Amino acid sequence: QVQLVESGGGLAQTGGSLKLDCAAAGNIGSANVMGWYRQAPGDWREVVAAMSSIGHPSYSDSVKGRSTISRENGGKSVSLELDSLKPEDTGVYYCNVKTIHPLRDYWGQGIQVTVSS
């Protein structure tokens, strides 16, 4: 079983920065994708950024150019730095890992990010 433990987030101001961290406990294998999703009130959960186990990052258009995703701890943790924060960055952020062998999808419990204008 894989557990994802998230930290960071909280309240931030427009134009500021924040960092989200997520550590995986358990076997996520050597082939996987770790990333962050955001769910704003009344909206669907959407991907914000992700990085494969071979280091390929991808970003949503909403954060491209002002965010950095990275993986550490032998690939078992993922961090997301968000700069130039906007009120629309507000939402619950979920850490996610998709393992390839076996094919599984794991989620963290979610962490609130609120950006005040």
Side-chain angles (χ1 to χ4, degrees):
Q1 187 67 16
V2 172
Q3 289 187 323
L4 300 175
V5 180
E6 300 144 328
S7 60
L11 182 64
Q13 292 188 335
T14 296
S17 300
L18 61 79
K19 185 179 181 185
L20 303 176
D21 296 300
C22 172
N27 184 13
I28 60 172
S30 59
N32 54 68
V33 178
M34 293 189 80
W36 288 93
Y37 287 67
R38 175 177 64 222
Q39 188 165 19
D43 284 348
W44 299 102
R45 193 176 298 185
E46 60 179 6
V47 63
V48 175
M51 179 172 274
S52 69
S53 48
I54 58 173
H56 290 165
S58 63
Y59 300 93
S60 68
D61 288 343
S62 65
V63 301
K64 195 173 293 182
R66 59 185 185 92
S67 63
T68 303
I69 190 168
S70 60
R71 294 183 64 166
E72 300 89 18
N73 192 25
K76 292 196 72 174
S77 64
V78 62
S79 297
L80 178 67
E81 293 190 33
L82 276 173
D83 301 317
S84 303
L85 289 169
K86 305 176 182 180
E88 49 263 44
D89 292 324
T90 294
V92 179
Y93 284 70
Y94 295 89
C95 180
N96 172 267
V97 62
K98 303 184 189 302
T99 63
I100 307 303
H101 302 291
L103 197 61
R104 294 282 190 271
D105 210 7
Y106 298 98
W107 294 92
Q109 290 190 331
I111 192 165
Q112 178 70 43
V113 170
T114 302
V115 181
S116 63
S117 57

mmCIF file of all heavy atoms in Angstrom, residues 57-100:
data_model
loop_
_atom_site.group_PDB
_atom_site.id
_atom_site.type_symbol
_atom_site.label_atom_id
_atom_site.label_comp_id
_atom_site.label_asym_id
_atom_site.label_seq_id
_atom_site.Cartn_x
_atom_site.Cartn_y
_atom_site.Cartn_z
ATOM 1 N N PRO A 57 9.161 17.004 -16.761
ATOM 2 C CA PRO A 57 8.089 17.767 -16.122
ATOM 3 C C PRO A 57 7.026 18.191 -17.129
ATOM 4 O O PRO A 57 7.296 18.310 -18.326
ATOM 5 C CB PRO A 57 8.820 18.996 -15.589
ATOM 6 C CG PRO A 57 9.898 19.240 -16.611
ATOM 7 C CD PRO A 57 10.299 17.874 -17.120
ATOM 8 N N SER A 58 5.844 18.426 -16.605
ATOM 9 C CA SER A 58 4.791 19.020 -17.417
ATOM 10 C C SER A 58 3.987 19.948 -16.518
ATOM 11 O O SER A 58 3.861 19.704 -15.321
ATOM 12 C CB SER A 58 3.889 17.947 -18.042
ATOM 13 O OG SER A 58 3.221 17.204 -17.053
ATOM 14 N N TYR A 59 3.472 21.015 -17.103
ATOM 15 C CA TYR A 59 2.746 22.037 -16.353
ATOM 16 C C TYR A 59 1.459 22.392 -17.064
ATOM 17 O O TYR A 59 1.394 22.417 -18.293
ATOM 18 C CB TYR A 59 3.603 23.303 -16.214
ATOM 19 C CG TYR A 59 4.915 23.102 -15.495
ATOM 20 C CD1 TYR A 59 6.082 22.828 -16.197
ATOM 21 C CD2 TYR A 59 4.982 23.199 -14.096
ATOM 22 C CE1 TYR A 59 7.282 22.634 -15.540
ATOM 23 C CE2 TYR A 59 6.185 23.015 -13.434
ATOM 24 C CZ TYR A 59 7.333 22.730 -14.163
ATOM 25 O OH TYR A 59 8.525 22.543 -13.507
ATOM 26 N N SER A 60 0.453 22.728 -16.279
ATOM 27 C CA SER A 60 -0.763 23.239 -16.871
ATOM 28 C C SER A 60 -0.507 24.666 -17.336
ATOM 29 O O SER A 60 0.391 25.351 -16.831
ATOM 30 C CB SER A 60 -1.913 23.201 -15.865
ATOM 31 O OG SER A 60 -1.681 24.137 -14.837
ATOM 32 N N ASP A 61 -1.304 25.128 -18.275
ATOM 33 C CA ASP A 61 -1.141 26.487 -18.779
ATOM 34 C C ASP A 61 -1.320 27.511 -17.661
ATOM 35 O O ASP A 61 -0.733 28.585 -17.708
ATOM 36 C CB ASP A 61 -2.148 26.760 -19.898
ATOM 37 C CG ASP A 61 -1.799 26.021 -21.180
ATOM 38 O OD1 ASP A 61 -0.637 25.573 -21.311
ATOM 39 O OD2 ASP A 61 -2.690 25.887 -22.037
ATOM 40 N N SER A 62 -2.117 27.168 -16.658
ATOM 41 C CA SER A 62 -2.415 28.126 -15.590
ATOM 42 C C SER A 62 -1.210 28.437 -14.715
ATOM 43 O O SER A 62 -1.168 29.476 -14.064
ATOM 44 C CB SER A 62 -3.566 27.604 -14.727
ATOM 45 O OG SER A 62 -3.176 26.426 -14.043
ATOM 46 N N VAL A 63 -0.210 27.547 -14.685
ATOM 47 C CA VAL A 63 0.957 27.783 -13.827
ATOM 48 C C VAL A 63 2.267 27.801 -14.605
ATOM 49 O O VAL A 63 3.322 28.049 -14.028
ATOM 50 C CB VAL A 63 1.052 26.721 -12.704
ATOM 51 C CG1 VAL A 63 -0.193 26.747 -11.841
ATOM 52 C CG2 VAL A 63 1.301 25.337 -13.267
ATOM 53 N N LYS A 64 2.206 27.545 -15.884
ATOM 54 C CA LYS A 64 3.429 27.478 -16.679
ATOM 55 C C LYS A 64 4.177 28.809 -16.615
ATOM 56 O O LYS A 64 3.587 29.875 -16.747
ATOM 57 C CB LYS A 64 3.083 27.134 -18.128
ATOM 58 C CG LYS A 64 4.257 26.686 -18.974
ATOM 59 C CD LYS A 64 3.774 26.213 -20.347
ATOM 60 C CE LYS A 64 2.954 24.954 -20.234
ATOM 61 N NZ LYS A 64 2.511 24.439 -21.540
ATOM 62 N N GLY A 65 5.460 28.733 -16.361
ATOM 63 C CA GLY A 65 6.276 29.934 -16.291
ATOM 64 C C GLY A 65 6.405 30.516 -14.903
ATOM 65 O O GLY A 65 7.213 31.425 -14.670
ATOM 66 N N ARG A 66 5.616 30.047 -13.977
ATOM 67 C CA ARG A 66 5.697 30.573 -12.609
ATOM 68 C C ARG A 66 5.654 29.443 -11.571
ATOM 69 O O ARG A 66 5.324 29.677 -10.416
ATOM 70 C CB ARG A 66 4.577 31.594 -12.353
ATOM 71 C CG ARG A 66 3.196 31.068 -12.524
ATOM 72 C CD ARG A 66 2.151 32.187 -12.367
ATOM 73 N NE ARG A 66 0.803 31.666 -12.406
ATOM 74 C CZ ARG A 66 0.113 31.300 -11.319
ATOM 75 N NH1 ARG A 66 0.665 31.421 -10.124
ATOM 76 N NH2 ARG A 66 -1.107 30.818 -11.444
ATOM 77 N N SER A 67 6.001 28.259 -12.020
ATOM 78 C CA SER A 67 6.026 27.140 -11.093
ATOM 79 C C SER A 67 7.167 26.202 -11.449
ATOM 80 O O SER A 67 7.631 26.164 -12.595
ATOM 81 C CB SER A 67 4.695 26.393 -11.119
ATOM 82 O OG SER A 67 4.475 25.828 -12.397
ATOM 83 N N THR A 68 7.589 25.452 -10.441
ATOM 84 C CA THR A 68 8.655 24.471 -10.647
ATOM 85 C C THR A 68 8.305 23.208 -9.877
ATOM 86 O O THR A 68 8.044 23.268 -8.672
ATOM 87 C CB THR A 68 10.012 24.990 -10.149
ATOM 88 O OG1 THR A 68 10.323 26.218 -10.791
ATOM 89 C CG2 THR A 68 11.111 23.977 -10.456
ATOM 90 N N ILE A 69 8.304 22.093 -10.581
ATOM 91 C CA ILE A 69 8.086 20.812 -9.932
ATOM 92 C C ILE A 69 9.417 20.079 -9.878
ATOM 93 O O ILE A 69 10.221 20.159 -10.823
ATOM 94 C CB ILE A 69 7.000 19.980 -10.645
ATOM 95 C CG1 ILE A 69 6.627 18.752 -9.806
ATOM 96 C CG2 ILE A 69 7.412 19.602 -12.062
ATOM 97 C CD1 ILE A 69 5.376 18.035 -10.289
ATOM 98 N N SER A 70 9.655 19.392 -8.794
ATOM 99 C CA SER A 70 10.904 18.664 -8.645
ATOM 100 C C SER A 70 10.669 17.399 -7.842
ATOM 101 O O SER A 70 9.695 17.298 -7.094
ATOM 102 C CB SER A 70 11.966 19.536 -7.961
ATOM 103 O OG SER A 70 11.528 19.936 -6.674
ATOM 104 N N ARG A 71 11.577 16.467 -8.003
ATOM 105 C CA ARG A 71 11.500 15.216 -7.248
ATOM 106 C C ARG A 71 12.821 14.978 -6.534
ATOM 107 O O ARG A 71 13.900 15.227 -7.085
ATOM 108 C CB ARG A 71 11.163 14.059 -8.189
ATOM 109 C CG ARG A 71 9.773 14.200 -8.778
ATOM 110 C CD ARG A 71 9.386 13.040 -9.649
ATOM 111 N NE ARG A 71 9.310 11.785 -8.890
ATOM 112 C CZ ARG A 71 8.739 10.681 -9.341
ATOM 113 N NH1 ARG A 71 8.189 10.677 -10.544
ATOM 114 N NH2 ARG A 71 8.733 9.584 -8.622
ATOM 115 N N GLU A 72 12.704 14.511 -5.311
ATOM 116 C CA GLU A 72 13.868 14.261 -4.481
ATOM 117 C C GLU A 72 13.710 12.916 -3.789
ATOM 118 O O GLU A 72 12.795 12.167 -4.067
ATOM 119 C CB GLU A 72 14.024 15.374 -3.418
ATOM 120 C CG GLU A 72 14.199 16.767 -3.986
ATOM 121 C CD GLU A 72 12.878 17.471 -4.221
ATOM 122 O OE1 GLU A 72 11.840 17.067 -3.649
ATOM 123 O OE2 GLU A 72 12.863 18.452 -4.991
ATOM 124 N N ASN A 73 14.652 12.648 -2.910
ATOM 125 C CA ASN A 73 14.578 11.452 -2.069
ATOM 126 C C ASN A 73 14.492 10.187 -2.908
ATOM 127 O O ASN A 73 13.636 9.335 -2.681
ATOM 128 C CB ASN A 73 13.372 11.553 -1.122
ATOM 129 C CG ASN A 73 13.398 10.504 -0.027
ATOM 130 O OD1 ASN A 73 14.450 10.002 0.345
ATOM 131 N ND2 ASN A 73 12.228 10.163 0.487
ATOM 132 N N GLY A 74 15.346 10.120 -3.913
ATOM 133 C CA GLY A 74 15.332 8.952 -4.784
ATOM 134 C C GLY A 74 14.050 8.830 -5.582
ATOM 135 O O GLY A 74 13.667 7.728 -5.974
ATOM 136 N N GLY A 75 13.391 9.935 -5.777
ATOM 137 C CA GLY A 75 12.163 9.933 -6.569
ATOM 138 C C GLY A 75 10.916 9.648 -5.769
ATOM 139 O O GLY A 75 9.834 9.552 -6.338
ATOM 140 N N LYS A 76 11.052 9.559 -4.438
ATOM 141 C CA LYS A 76 9.884 9.235 -3.627
ATOM 142 C C LYS A 76 9.211 10.466 -3.026
ATOM 143 O O LYS A 76 8.288 10.318 -2.223
ATOM 144 C CB LYS A 76 10.276 8.243 -2.534
ATOM 145 C CG LYS A 76 10.640 6.864 -3.088
ATOM 146 C CD LYS A 76 10.642 5.803 -2.013
ATOM 147 C CE LYS A 76 9.240 5.463 -1.565
ATOM 148 N NZ LYS A 76 9.204 4.338 -0.609
ATOM 149 N N SER A 77 9.676 11.639 -3.384
ATOM 150 C CA SER A 77 8.973 12.840 -2.952
ATOM 151 C C SER A 77 8.885 13.796 -4.131
ATOM 152 O O SER A 77 9.693 13.757 -5.068
ATOM 153 C CB SER A 77 9.680 13.499 -1.765
ATOM 154 O OG SER A 77 10.959 13.948 -2.131
ATOM 155 N N VAL A 78 7.893 14.640 -4.055
ATOM 156 C CA VAL A 78 7.690 15.621 -5.115
ATOM 157 C C VAL A 78 7.341 16.955 -4.471
ATOM 158 O O VAL A 78 6.598 17.012 -3.487
ATOM 159 C CB VAL A 78 6.572 15.174 -6.097
ATOM 160 C CG1 VAL A 78 5.226 15.042 -5.391
ATOM 161 C CG2 VAL A 78 6.473 16.112 -7.286
ATOM 162 N N SER A 79 7.913 18.017 -5.007
ATOM 163 C CA SER A 79 7.654 19.358 -4.499
ATOM 164 C C SER A 79 7.161 20.236 -5.634
ATOM 165 O O SER A 79 7.523 20.035 -6.795
ATOM 166 C CB SER A 79 8.938 19.955 -3.908
ATOM 167 O OG SER A 79 9.387 19.199 -2.804
ATOM 168 N N LEU A 80 6.344 21.192 -5.265
ATOM 169 C CA LEU A 80 5.844 22.161 -6.227
ATOM 170 C C LEU A 80 6.035 23.545 -5.649
ATOM 171 O O LEU A 80 5.519 23.839 -4.575
ATOM 172 C CB LEU A 80 4.362 21.927 -6.528
ATOM 173 C CG LEU A 80 3.716 22.911 -7.501
ATOM 174 C CD1 LEU A 80 4.297 22.739 -8.899
ATOM 175 C CD2 LEU A 80 2.202 22.732 -7.519
ATOM 176 N N GLU A 81 6.774 24.377 -6.346
ATOM 177 C CA GLU A 81 6.923 25.772 -5.971
ATOM 178 C C GLU A 81 6.067 26.619 -6.899
ATOM 179 O O GLU A 81 6.166 26.502 -8.128
ATOM 180 C CB GLU A 81 8.386 26.205 -6.064
ATOM 181 C CG GLU A 81 9.290 25.529 -5.055
ATOM 182 C CD GLU A 81 10.683 26.152 -5.002
ATOM 183 O OE1 GLU A 81 10.795 27.369 -5.219
ATOM 184 O OE2 GLU A 81 11.644 25.405 -4.761
ATOM 185 N N LEU A 82 5.232 27.445 -6.295
ATOM 186 C CA LEU A 82 4.369 28.329 -7.053
ATOM 187 C C LEU A 82 4.751 29.763 -6.745
ATOM 188 O O LEU A 82 4.762 30.164 -5.576
ATOM 189 C CB LEU A 82 2.901 28.109 -6.677
ATOM 190 C CG LEU A 82 2.141 26.976 -7.359
ATOM 191 C CD1 LEU A 82 0.765 26.815 -6.723
ATOM 192 C CD2 LEU A 82 2.019 27.198 -8.840
ATOM 193 N N ASP A 83 5.058 30.521 -7.780
ATOM 194 C CA ASP A 83 5.416 31.929 -7.615
ATOM 195 C C ASP A 83 4.340 32.816 -8.227
ATOM 196 O O ASP A 83 3.445 32.334 -8.932
ATOM 197 C CB ASP A 83 6.766 32.200 -8.292
ATOM 198 C CG ASP A 83 7.891 31.356 -7.731
ATOM 199 O OD1 ASP A 83 7.958 31.223 -6.490
ATOM 200 O OD2 ASP A 83 8.684 30.819 -8.525
ATOM 201 N N SER A 84 4.477 34.096 -7.966
ATOM 202 C CA SER A 84 3.524 35.077 -8.522
ATOM 203 C C SER A 84 2.092 34.596 -8.321
ATOM 204 O O SER A 84 1.288 34.540 -9.272
ATOM 205 C CB SER A 84 3.812 35.307 -10.013
ATOM 206 O OG SER A 84 5.125 35.739 -10.212
ATOM 207 N N LEU A 85 1.775 34.263 -7.096
ATOM 208 C CA LEU A 85 0.478 33.676 -6.788
ATOM 209 C C LEU A 85 -0.678 34.576 -7.196
ATOM 210 O O LEU A 85 -0.596 35.812 -7.111
ATOM 211 C CB LEU A 85 0.397 33.360 -5.301
ATOM 212 C CG LEU A 85 1.259 32.197 -4.831
ATOM 213 C CD1 LEU A 85 1.307 32.166 -3.306
ATOM 214 C CD2 LEU A 85 0.742 30.873 -5.375
ATOM 215 N N LYS A 86 -1.765 33.899 -7.614
ATOM 216 C CA LYS A 86 -2.992 34.594 -8.007
ATOM 217 C C LYS A 86 -4.145 34.040 -7.183
ATOM 218 O O LYS A 86 -4.105 32.877 -6.754
ATOM 219 C CB LYS A 86 -3.273 34.345 -9.490
ATOM 220 C CG LYS A 86 -2.141 34.719 -10.418
ATOM 221 C CD LYS A 86 -2.483 34.340 -11.857
ATOM 222 C CE LYS A 86 -1.331 34.669 -12.807
ATOM 223 N NZ LYS A 86 -1.663 34.288 -14.206
ATOM 224 N N PRO A 87 -5.194 34.810 -6.988
ATOM 225 C CA PRO A 87 -6.354 34.286 -6.245
ATOM 226 C C PRO A 87 -6.902 33.004 -6.869
ATOM 227 O O PRO A 87 -7.405 32.137 -6.153
ATOM 228 C CB PRO A 87 -7.359 35.430 -6.332
ATOM 229 C CG PRO A 87 -6.499 36.657 -6.429
ATOM 230 C CD PRO A 87 -5.328 36.240 -7.272
ATOM 231 N N GLU A 88 -6.796 32.855 -8.175
ATOM 232 C CA GLU A 88 -7.313 31.645 -8.826
ATOM 233 C C GLU A 88 -6.454 30.411 -8.567
ATOM 234 O O GLU A 88 -6.813 29.301 -8.988
ATOM 235 C CB GLU A 88 -7.472 31.854 -10.339
ATOM 236 C CG GLU A 88 -6.267 32.450 -11.034
ATOM 237 C CD GLU A 88 -6.377 33.959 -11.217
ATOM 238 O OE1 GLU A 88 -6.788 34.647 -10.252
ATOM 239 O OE2 GLU A 88 -6.017 34.443 -12.309
ATOM 240 N N ASP A 89 -5.333 30.574 -7.879
ATOM 241 C CA ASP A 89 -4.554 29.420 -7.441
ATOM 242 C C ASP A 89 -5.184 28.769 -6.204
ATOM 243 O O ASP A 89 -4.761 27.689 -5.781
ATOM 244 C CB ASP A 89 -3.114 29.819 -7.107
ATOM 245 C CG ASP A 89 -2.321 30.241 -8.323
ATOM 246 O OD1 ASP A 89 -2.525 29.653 -9.411
ATOM 247 O OD2 ASP A 89 -1.489 31.171 -8.200
ATOM 248 N N THR A 90 -6.162 29.417 -5.641
ATOM 249 C CA THR A 90 -6.828 28.899 -4.449
ATOM 250 C C THR A 90 -7.521 27.568 -4.742
ATOM 251 O O THR A 90 -8.145 27.404 -5.783
ATOM 252 C CB THR A 90 -7.853 29.917 -3.935
ATOM 253 O OG1 THR A 90 -7.162 31.082 -3.483
ATOM 254 C CG2 THR A 90 -8.678 29.349 -2.789
ATOM 255 N N GLY A 91 -7.383 26.651 -3.803
ATOM 256 C CA GLY A 91 -8.051 25.365 -3.923
ATOM 257 C C GLY A 91 -7.407 24.336 -3.023
ATOM 258 O O GLY A 91 -6.472 24.649 -2.274
ATOM 259 N N VAL A 92 -7.918 23.148 -3.096
ATOM 260 C CA VAL A 92 -7.300 22.030 -2.387
ATOM 261 C C VAL A 92 -6.349 21.337 -3.362
ATOM 262 O O VAL A 92 -6.747 20.968 -4.470
ATOM 263 C CB VAL A 92 -8.363 21.039 -1.871
ATOM 264 C CG1 VAL A 92 -7.675 19.865 -1.158
ATOM 265 C CG2 VAL A 92 -9.343 21.735 -0.933
ATOM 266 N N TYR A 93 -5.129 21.185 -2.936
ATOM 267 C CA TYR A 93 -4.094 20.567 -3.765
ATOM 268 C C TYR A 93 -3.884 19.130 -3.313
ATOM 269 O O TYR A 93 -3.694 18.865 -2.122
ATOM 270 C CB TYR A 93 -2.792 21.355 -3.675
ATOM 271 C CG TYR A 93 -2.826 22.638 -4.471
ATOM 272 C CD1 TYR A 93 -3.616 23.700 -4.074
ATOM 273 C CD2 TYR A 93 -2.076 22.769 -5.641
ATOM 274 C CE1 TYR A 93 -3.669 24.873 -4.818
ATOM 275 C CE2 TYR A 93 -2.116 23.941 -6.391
ATOM 276 C CZ TYR A 93 -2.913 24.982 -5.967
ATOM 277 O OH TYR A 93 -2.961 26.149 -6.711
ATOM 278 N N TYR A 94 -3.900 18.239 -4.273
ATOM 279 C CA TYR A 94 -3.746 16.812 -3.994
ATOM 280 C C TYR A 94 -2.469 16.290 -4.635
ATOM 281 O O TYR A 94 -2.222 16.524 -5.835
ATOM 282 C CB TYR A 94 -4.924 16.018 -4.546
ATOM 283 C CG TYR A 94 -6.248 16.321 -3.891
ATOM 284 C CD1 TYR A 94 -7.075 17.332 -4.372
ATOM 285 C CD2 TYR A 94 -6.680 15.588 -2.779
ATOM 286 C CE1 TYR A 94 -8.295 17.614 -3.771
ATOM 287 C CE2 TYR A 94 -7.892 15.862 -2.175
ATOM 288 C CZ TYR A 94 -8.701 16.877 -2.681
ATOM 289 O OH TYR A 94 -9.904 17.142 -2.079
ATOM 290 N N CYS A 95 -1.704 15.583 -3.854
ATOM 291 C CA CYS A 95 -0.549 14.874 -4.393
ATOM 292 C C CYS A 95 -1.035 13.564 -5.016
ATOM 293 O O CYS A 95 -1.945 12.917 -4.476
ATOM 294 C CB CYS A 95 0.443 14.595 -3.272
ATOM 295 S SG CYS A 95 1.944 13.726 -3.788
ATOM 296 N N ASN A 96 -0.437 13.191 -6.114
ATOM 297 C CA ASN A 96 -0.842 11.986 -6.832
ATOM 298 C C ASN A 96 0.379 11.231 -7.339
ATOM 299 O O ASN A 96 1.373 11.840 -7.738
ATOM 300 C CB ASN A 96 -1.733 12.374 -8.009
ATOM 301 C CG ASN A 96 -2.030 11.203 -8.927
ATOM 302 O OD1 ASN A 96 -1.331 10.967 -9.912
ATOM 303 N ND2 ASN A 96 -3.053 10.442 -8.598
ATOM 304 N N VAL A 97 0.315 9.937 -7.285
ATOM 305 C CA VAL A 97 1.331 9.117 -7.933
ATOM 306 C C VAL A 97 0.641 8.036 -8.755
ATOM 307 O O VAL A 97 -0.301 7.390 -8.278
ATOM 308 C CB VAL A 97 2.336 8.503 -6.938
ATOM 309 C CG1 VAL A 97 1.674 7.578 -5.943
ATOM 310 C CG2 VAL A 97 3.431 7.748 -7.677
ATOM 311 N N LYS A 98 1.074 7.900 -9.969
ATOM 312 C CA LYS A 98 0.565 6.859 -10.862
ATOM 313 C C LYS A 98 1.707 5.867 -11.072
ATOM 314 O O LYS A 98 2.749 6.233 -11.625
ATOM 315 C CB LYS A 98 0.133 7.456 -12.191
ATOM 316 C CG LYS A 98 -0.921 8.548 -12.060
ATOM 317 C CD LYS A 98 -1.393 9.039 -13.396
ATOM 318 C CE LYS A 98 -2.265 10.275 -13.270
ATOM 319 N NZ LYS A 98 -3.448 10.042 -12.419
ATOM 320 N N THR A 99 1.512 4.651 -10.574
ATOM 321 C CA THR A 99 2.531 3.623 -10.769
ATOM 322 C C THR A 99 2.216 2.830 -12.031
ATOM 323 O O THR A 99 1.051 2.698 -12.420
ATOM 324 C CB THR A 99 2.605 2.698 -9.548
ATOM 325 O OG1 THR A 99 1.347 2.019 -9.397
ATOM 326 C CG2 THR A 99 2.901 3.475 -8.279
ATOM 327 N N ILE A 100 3.270 2.334 -12.647
ATOM 328 C CA ILE A 100 3.110 1.614 -13.905
ATOM 329 C C ILE A 100 3.033 0.101 -13.665
ATOM 330 O O ILE A 100 2.227 -0.586 -14.310
ATOM 331 C CB ILE A 100 4.263 1.947 -14.858
ATOM 332 C CG1 ILE A 100 4.392 3.465 -15.012
ATOM 333 C CG2 ILE A 100 4.059 1.257 -16.218
ATOM 334 C CD1 ILE A 100 3.140 4.158 -15.504
#
